[in-house]
Amino acid sequence: MPSITITPDLIVFVPLALVAALSAIGVVALKNAVRSALCLVLNFFTLSALYFNLRAEIIGITQVVVYTGAIMVLFLFVIMLLNLGAPQLLAEKKDLKIGAGLAGGVILFGVIAGTIFPPLVSVNVIHAPTKYGEPATLGHTLFTQFVWPFEVASILLLVGIVGSILLAKRKI
Amino acid sequence: MQSALFQIGKWFVHTPAALQALIRVLLYVIPLLLLVPMFIWWERRLLSWMQDRIGPNRVGPFGLLQAIADGVKLFFKEDITPASIDRLIYFVAPAIALFPAFALGGTLPWGPNRLLTPMADVNIGVLYIMAVSSLGVYGVVLGGYAPNNKYSLLGGLRSSAQLISYELAMGMSLAAIALASGSLKVTEFVHQQEMPIWGADQAVWIQNWNLFTPYGFLAGIIFAICMVAETNRAPFDLPEAENELIAGYHTEYSSMKFAVYFMGEYAAMFVFSGVFAAVFLGGYNFLPIRWEALIDDYPAATAFWQFMQALNYYGAPIWFIGKCIGGLSVYIWLRATLPRLRYDQLMSLGWRCLLPLSVANFMAVGFWVLLTRLMGGMEQFESDAQPLATLGLLLIDVLIVMVVDRVYRRGSGKEMASRTIEMVDPPVLRSIELVDGGEPVVPANG
């Protein structure tokens, strides 16, 4: 087991990771839908801070703009408009689903951890290339190496937008 | 004095990076906290001057201590907490509202010294501003939801729709500037604005402030409108429309919690003015004049140009704060001048006018950048196409002014037409006066 050197990055990382993990648990554990959604907001926010910590600025800020700033606002909007009744009405029955869900979660964790942890075991200091995660680097990679997936994804999003308008408006 | 400053500078350069960052944060937050009460005084005085009133002039000289008196009053007022609320969210919401207002300036440079001024000169400066301003909606929405009050909830919902709508146009207008500057850093924006002006080769001594360029002018107007909408200020203060919603999202907040909302609003106004100054008004530069170019062109007055250059450099924070206060005054002016928009006007302005215009502006700038890349270095092209592009972009500018004017004057037709009922000076009364003696004649169209 390699010893962990305490760096400023680590000092920032540990509380952020703790908050992220706790808020992720809060999303599923809390009874109140609005509080759950708020936990998810907090989780996304700390996640973006973790991205910053890894020098992946553009991904971190996209996380805030897209998820925290836009999608979660819509979630809250919908939850408030639906006005879900008292929390006890929403309580789930305790049956096999919980056990199956837990088992599935553990298996998923195992699969992801099995892929991610082996290369990370010997790492105790972050060493990204200097230009890594900058908008210019990311843009260059997106428009050269990954131009087709990028364009296909953008067309998919466009189809989604047009489709939502089509569904929402009967008469166009 | 000189050596003491030098010693401090030397100490600062050699301190650990974390301490440097802390000092940068304090240099931003402390002036902001000190200035916010002054803004409230300034708004009340300026507004009363514009409305032919006197305003608060009793506490301290010119009523300057009024803000402190207000603060003491708010602090000692009874703190009413309604029953049957979501207690946690109710107490957290004002703090959430305050956070983005203060965090917004994280990438704003208020001076030319890069060791002291933007808290983080990251590569995503403008995106950071967009991201943090998009968090502003949470304070309002949660404040509307938590007290379990229908009026509050309506205010919160209105505000979330408004903020999301105007964020898009705001982002597109900033994107046009980012495209023209070739960077996302706010410091780079300011640096680009210190270059000779765009499209006028003779006047190298004028700085290229984005507001002077056609695309920047358009983007600036769109940004200014969106910025007012993002801070929930008049004429976009529908979330707290008192004739319909009591006080909107902060109806159930009293005492210090209301004061925190208030502080957040004023801090956000000030920092947004700072963003406008940094992106469109040349940042911390005093006047749009390149003193170094004047030294080359008119060496006779070199000493004066050098003095002005030094004044421009060392007084940078003052010029920047001055521009911010100017922006704040425009906010107050708008509040004193314009009536509140109707909800459909608000949505129509955001989605039908500002968003398409800002996208058109973005595409025009993109097209221009592409052309200069393709034709770069061809002098004939430069001299021919630049005036043409200027003309085209100016046409778009005229368009936006017309569109905004139309929204205010005509609205969307039917609803406004019903409002032009002749309530004042009805023709019936006038015709009664004309008839002497017999039956009053009612006009046929009466």
Side-chain angles (χ1 to χ4, degrees), chain B residues 117-139:
Chain B
T117 154
M119 275 189 267
D121 195 9
V122 280
N123 261 309
I124 43 161
V126 175
L127 283 177
Y128 172 85
I129 291 169
M130 286 307 301
V132 174
S133 86
S134 73
L135 295 181
V137 67
Y138 282 109

Side-chain angles (χ1 to χ4, degrees), chain B residues 93-108:
Chain B
I96 294 178
L98 198 61
F99 164 72
F102 278 83
L104 198 62
T107 53
L108 277 188

Side-chain angles (χ1 to χ4, degrees), chain B residues 1-18:
Chain B
M1 179 66 188
Q2 192 68 39
S3 69
L5 271 179
F6 182 72
Q7 288 297 326
I8 292 172
K10 212 170 122 184
W11 170 80
F12 186 75
V13 172
H14 294 292
T15 40

Side-chain angles (χ1 to χ4, degrees), chain B residues 240-323:
Chain B
E240 42 188 310
E242 57 278 314
N243 47 1
E244 302 149 15
L245 299 179
I246 308 178
Y249 58 92
H250 58 63
T251 304
E252 298 289 2
Y253 284 91
S254 55
S255 185
M256 270 321 275
K257 291 197 286 294
F258 167 73
V260 168
Y261 265 118
F262 212 54
M263 237 171 88
E265 184 176 318
Y266 279 81
M269 275 158 66
F270 186 69
V271 180
F272 261 114
S273 304
V275 174
F276 187 85
V279 178
F280 296 100
L281 284 179
Y284 39 79
N285 286 298
F286 179 32
L287 290 171
I289 293 169
R290 300 176 70 232
W291 304 106
E292 64 272 22
L294 279 177
I295 292 173
D296 290 341
D297 285 2
Y298 305 100
T302 303
F304 179 67
W305 304 140
Q306 273 169 348
F307 169 73
M308 289 307 289
Q309 199 176 5
L311 195 70
N312 188 33
Y313 185 84
Y314 290 107
I318 300 171
W319 314 139
F320 190 69
I321 290 180
K323 283 175 186 178

